[in-house]
Amino acid sequence: MKSDNPFSLTFGMLPYKVISRYEEKNNVVSTFNAQNAVSHVFLIEGIRGSGKTVLMTSISDELCVNKDWIGVDLNPAVDLLDNLAECLVNSMNIFPDILGNGFSISAMGFGIGVNGSDKKSSIGIIEEILERLKKKGKKLIITIDEVTPSQNMRVFASQFQIFLRKKYPVFLLMTGLYENIYNIQNDSSLTFLLRAPKIKLGALSLMQIAREYEDIFSIDIEEASLMARETKGYAFAFQAFGMLLWEYGVTDFTNNKKLFSEYEALLDDFAYKKIWTELTKKEQNIVLSIEDNRSMKASEICSAIGMSNSLFSQYRKKLIDKGILSSPSYGYVELTLPRLHKICRYYE
């Protein structure tokens, strides 16, 4: 009987098989665990399917293995301060020793009662709990996935800055697309986030992917390396291609047209359709002018789409920042995502 497929396509879940980003993870964990942390905030930026949520989750999980850490995961679609207050109250039910004798919390309508008093605001209850965490030597890691610039985010970030000024033991880890992180960092009311360290997720190591495939499928490294190259280091592609290889078998996979057809369908349905709609028309034209698995001269692209070199340079930078293009050598660019040109042709 065939065992369960070790790969997963579910966004937001930590897959059974995952390529760790050790350097980025250790950087955040060591910074947050330092006695005098140089930063209480990290931003994780990357294209859809690049593994932002997986990295954020793995960092939070590693921190919270230590009993001195408490983690809460906030929903960016709701009021973040109310959400934080609710999560902290729920956490206190799990860690009752933090509050001390005689301290109780109860839900009262749309507020929260403390020690039988009238209901307090979300900020009031958050500060009550943060003060006790501080006295107990505990730290709080707040995670927010796929943030977007909004008034809700502005209010939360401004209040978080106040928590830091009061020296509360709070730490923040957020993920987002390039354009959303850029807009949040450059919001005039959120200047402290402009100084926050940013982790930009690029391609996974092809060597690590090949070794995972080698181990999972019990094949030689040469064949595993061929499989890894089909993913171009794209985190979602590692999962999608691996899942199909598990289902179809790896024997002569290079000639399996049905496997590659389904692979392209998964890339299309789960990632590329959304990525494509978030590009401007000129950005779409540039993507369509670059062939898969080929480095192309900027001058060749400009000629093909009738764009000046100066204008192309502006869009080139934007597409590199978004994680869609890379520049392997001076004057050349290539697509970072597997089979992107082939799939995007059908969107026209």
Side-chain angles (χ1 to χ4, degrees):
M1 182 178 176
K2 196 171 184 178
S3 57
D4 291 339
N5 197 313
F7 299 96
S8 172
L9 302 185
T10 305
F11 285 111
M13 286 183 60
L14 200 62
Y16 175 71
K17 284 294 181 181
V18 61
I19 305 293
S20 294
R21 296 182 184 266
Y22 297 105
E23 182 179 356
E24 293 89 346
K25 179 179 177 181
N26 291 340
N27 181 24
V28 179
V29 170
S30 60
T31 298
F32 283 0
N33 273 324
Q35 187 170 358
N36 295 301
V38 295
S39 178
H40 283 240
V41 182
F42 269 88
L43 306 173
I44 302 174
E45 172 190 301
I47 198 168
R48 295 182 186 279
S50 60
K52 302 185 298 295
T53 306
V54 169
L55 177 59
M56 181 185 71
T57 302
S58 65
I59 291 170
S60 178
D61 287 350
E62 178 155 332
L63 289 171
C64 292
V65 166
N66 187 323
K67 59 183 176 61
D68 291 333
W69 281 90
I70 293 172
V72 295
D73 186 26
L74 303 187
N75 180 355
V78 302
D79 185 294
L80 288 165
L81 289 172
D82 285 349
N83 193 196
L84 177 57
E86 181 182 1
C87 289
L88 284 174
V89 169
N90 291 335
S91 294
M92 294 310 97
N93 292 328
I94 301 172
F95 306 102
D97 58 305
I98 291 176
L99 300 181
N101 295 329
F103 188 89
S104 62
I105 301 176
S106 58
M108 300 174 62
F110 295 102
I112 299 171
V114 180
N115 289 341
S117 66
D118 293 337
K119 63 185 180 182
K120 287 201 171 192
S121 67
S122 294
I123 295 174
I125 193 63
I126 291 168
E127 292 198 343
E128 287 270 6
I129 295 176
L130 290 179
E131 189 63 41
R132 279 159 176 77
L133 290 177
K134 183 177 178 180
K135 289 179 180 178
K136 289 283 188 177
K138 306 286 186 182
K139 295 180 179 182
L140 175 68
I141 174 66
I142 300 169
T143 54
I144 309 177
D145 198 20
E146 294 297 348
V147 294
T148 57
S150 63
Q151 182 60 21
N152 184 22
M153 186 68 230
R154 292 185 194 96
V155 171
F156 173 81
S158 297
Q159 186 60 47
F160 185 84
Q161 191 173 11
I162 294 173
F163 294 154
L164 293 182
R165 289 206 301 270
K166 292 184 176 182
K167 301 188 183 303
Y168 289 135
V170 290
F171 296 79
L172 178 62
L173 194 57
M174 300 191 292
T175 76
L177 301 175
Y178 158 75
E179 53 268 36
N180 290 332
I181 294 292
Y182 176 87
N183 289 331
I184 287 172
Q185 283 194 297
N186 289 276
D187 190 308
S188 60
S189 63
L190 303 175
T191 52
F192 90 102
L193 285 178
L194 188 59
R195 301 186 294 274
K198 184 166 59 178
I199 298 172
K200 185 174 181 179
L201 295 189
L204 295 168
S205 163
L206 290 182
M207 181 191 70
Q208 286 182 274
I209 292 177
R211 286 180 173 172
E212 284 290 342
Y213 283 163
E214 177 188 21
D215 178 61
I216 293 168
F217 298 113
S218 300
I219 54 178
D220 59 48
I221 191 62
E222 289 77 15
E223 187 175 11
S225 295
L226 288 175
M227 295 173 179
R229 282 199 285 273
E230 292 290 345
T231 73
K232 298 192 75 171
Y234 181 39
F236 175 75
F238 163 67
Q239 297 291 335
F241 197 54
M243 185 193 77
L244 292 172
L245 288 167
W246 183 269
E247 292 179 357
Y248 281 92
V250 297
T251 304
D252 195 21
F253 75 93
T254 56
N255 294 317
N256 193 325
K257 291 183 179 180
K258 188 174 181 182
L259 183 151
F260 281 105
S261 177
E262 289 199 31
Y263 179 41
E264 290 167 6
L266 290 175
L267 292 171
D268 176 31
D269 287 341
F270 282 81
Y272 291 3
K273 277 180 183 174
K274 187 64 176 174
I275 291 171
W276 180 258
T277 61
E278 292 166 346
L279 299 178
T280 66
K281 183 61 178 178
K282 284 187 170 62
E283 289 171 338
Q284 291 174 353
N285 289 339
I286 291 172
V287 169
L288 289 175
S289 70
I290 304 173
E291 297 173 16
D292 291 318
N293 302 315
R294 181 189 168 197
S295 294
M296 295 183 64
K297 284 185 177 181
S299 58
E300 184 181 357
I301 298 169
C302 290
S303 176
I305 62 176
M307 181 179 286
S308 68
N309 287 331
S310 59
L311 185 58
F312 175 77
S313 295
Q314 297 174 31
Y315 283 104
R316 170 186 171 277
K317 182 182 184 305
K318 288 181 181 179
L319 288 168
I320 289 175
D321 287 337
K322 290 181 178 182
I324 291 172
L325 289 188
S326 65
S327 181
S329 58
Y330 181 76
Y332 286 81
V333 293
E334 64 182 36
L335 297 173
T336 60
L337 303 179
R339 299 173 178 260
L340 182 64
H341 173 85
K342 184 177 181 181
I343 293 170
C344 289
R345 288 181 308 169
Y346 297 100
Y347 298 153
E348 284 295 284

